[in-house]
Amino acid sequence: MRHGPPLRNATHSWTSSCRPEVFPRCCIHFEDWAGVDAVRLLARYRDKVCCYNDDIQGTAGAGLVGIFSALRVTGAKLKDQRVLFLGAGSAGTGIAGMIVEGMMLEGLSATEAQARISMFDINGLLESSRKDILDFQKPYAHKGTPTKDFVTAIEAIKPTAIIGVSTSAKAFDQRVVSTMAKLNERPIIFALSNPTDHAECTAEEAYKWSQGRALFAAGVPFPPLTYQGKVFVPGQGNNLYVFPAVALAVYATQAKRVPDELFIAAARGVAELVTPAELESGLLYPPQSSILDTEIKAAVRVAETIFERKLAGVAKPGDMAAFIASHVYNAEYQKAV
């Protein structure tokens, strides 16, 4: 499939050749499209064919892993969080939408959940008086006082978490982190932009400016560090924790659709694999050295959700773990004679 913005007739040829009746077991994974196109096309086809967008849903799922792990530390529920995003493009709104879906699974209405999500972009806080809000940003443009100062927005909204998807290096400066630490005993601070020179802050800055209390994750790897005698191991919110698990479960179950709930199930499955000792060290994601085992176990959670939602194209197995394991590629070959 062609990457990049679609050509004039690309959408027509895609939908014509990938109709469910033509390729009934096909799952279309698309990414690296322009943000507006990605949002528009995902919304257009997600309920018609088996497809997903890793830049939107995979990124969102990876962010949700970190949030679920952080909430294991704080003991709070997702539906009680207030989240402020720095960056309001497809990645930010994708994560926001996934959080909304997760909050709805905990009992909130869509409107109640969206009210707990706010966004801030290059022109300031997204609020209802602005005239430059795109359609997919409108659910998060609430009534409020206009401001172009991120700290002022934090003080007004009092978020429990800030998530950076802005590619604005050092945007989470000492004022930002210190303000979050004043408002929260364990502030959730995710600097998810990459590469490293675009990260909103470093792990060292997040821990130092929060007196070691930040629950931190980044979009890039940061090495372990020592602060006030304690060794911290920063986690990396990478899509690789989520989309392979979803793809494996979809492949094994011959799922008809890929709703956001599958990514939420994968995120919960991955977060549950972080040990108490790892959480104590600040790590919010399982070690990447055990990524295959992590994916397989998370895929079991996803497959269970597929069967619960009656989206599977095969009969439900008696042993879900064995069923998923039987679909994992085994790279062992016979020796040539």
Side-chain angles (χ1 to χ4, degrees), residues 250-272:
V250 167
Y251 166 68
T253 64
Q254 298 180 29
K256 300 178 180 68
R257 300 287 182 272
V258 190
D260 281 351
E261 191 174 347
L262 303 191
F263 289 87
I264 295 171
R268 286 194 181 278
V270 173
E272 289 171 356

Side-chain angles (χ1 to χ4, degrees), residues 198-272:
H198 286 175
E200 285 79 9
C201 70
T202 66
E204 182 179 11
E205 290 166 344
Y207 293 128
K208 179 180 178 181
W209 293 334
S210 67
Q211 298 80 50
R213 293 187 281 117
L215 293 164
F216 175 80
V220 294
F222 284 107
L225 60 100
T226 301
Y227 174 74
Q228 293 186 346
K230 179 178 179 179
V231 177
F232 289 88
V233 183
Q236 182 187 6
N238 195 303
N239 295 22
L240 65 84
Y241 282 106
V242 173
F243 80 84
V246 171
L248 173 57
V250 167
Y251 166 68
T253 64
Q254 298 180 29
K256 300 178 180 68
R257 300 287 182 272
V258 190
D260 281 351
E261 191 174 347
L262 303 191
F263 289 87
I264 295 171
R268 286 194 181 278
V270 173
E272 289 171 356

Side-chain angles (χ1 to χ4, degrees), residues 51-213:
C51 67
Y52 68 93
N53 182 298
D54 181 47
D55 292 326
I56 297 174
Q57 294 162 292
T59 299
L64 207 52
V65 172
I67 292 175
F68 283 143
S69 293
L71 296 181
R72 289 179 59 194
V73 176
T74 66
K77 294 184 178 295
L78 180 63
K79 68 178 183 179
D80 296 325
Q81 304 309 298
R82 293 182 305 279
V83 184
L84 175 60
F85 285 82
L86 182 63
S90 60
T93 55
I95 299 173
M98 197 76 72
I99 293 173
V100 166
E101 292 283 346
M103 288 179 170
M104 291 172 64
L105 291 174
E106 294 186 2
L108 297 188
S109 68
T111 300
E112 290 170 335
Q114 289 165 350
R116 303 190 73 83
I117 310 293
S118 299
M119 296 200 166
F120 194 102
D121 67 5
I122 192 171
N123 293 317
L125 181 67
L126 267 65
E127 41 79 23
S128 55
S129 71
R130 280 180 50 175
K131 306 301 182 184
D132 59 342
I133 306 298
L134 300 174
D135 285 343
F136 66 88
Q137 298 169 330
K138 287 181 179 178
Y140 312 108
H142 312 302
K143 290 183 179 179
T145 303
T147 180
K148 292 189 176 183
D149 180 60
F150 193 58
V151 171
T152 299
I154 291 174
E155 291 173 338
I157 295 165
K158 295 179 172 54
T160 56
I162 54 173
I163 298 179
V165 283
S166 65
T167 69
S168 180
K170 304 300 182 180
F172 291 172
D173 58 19
Q174 187 168 359
R175 289 179 65 232
V176 168
V177 175
S178 297
T179 301
M180 283 294 295
K182 289 177 183 177
L183 293 171
N184 302 279
E185 178 61 29
R186 300 301 304 270
I188 299 171
I189 298 174
F190 289 179
L192 299 183
S193 292
N194 58 73
T196 303
D197 59 1
H198 286 175
E200 285 79 9
C201 70
T202 66
E204 182 179 11
E205 290 166 344
Y207 293 128
K208 179 180 178 181
W209 293 334
S210 67
Q211 298 80 50
R213 293 187 281 117

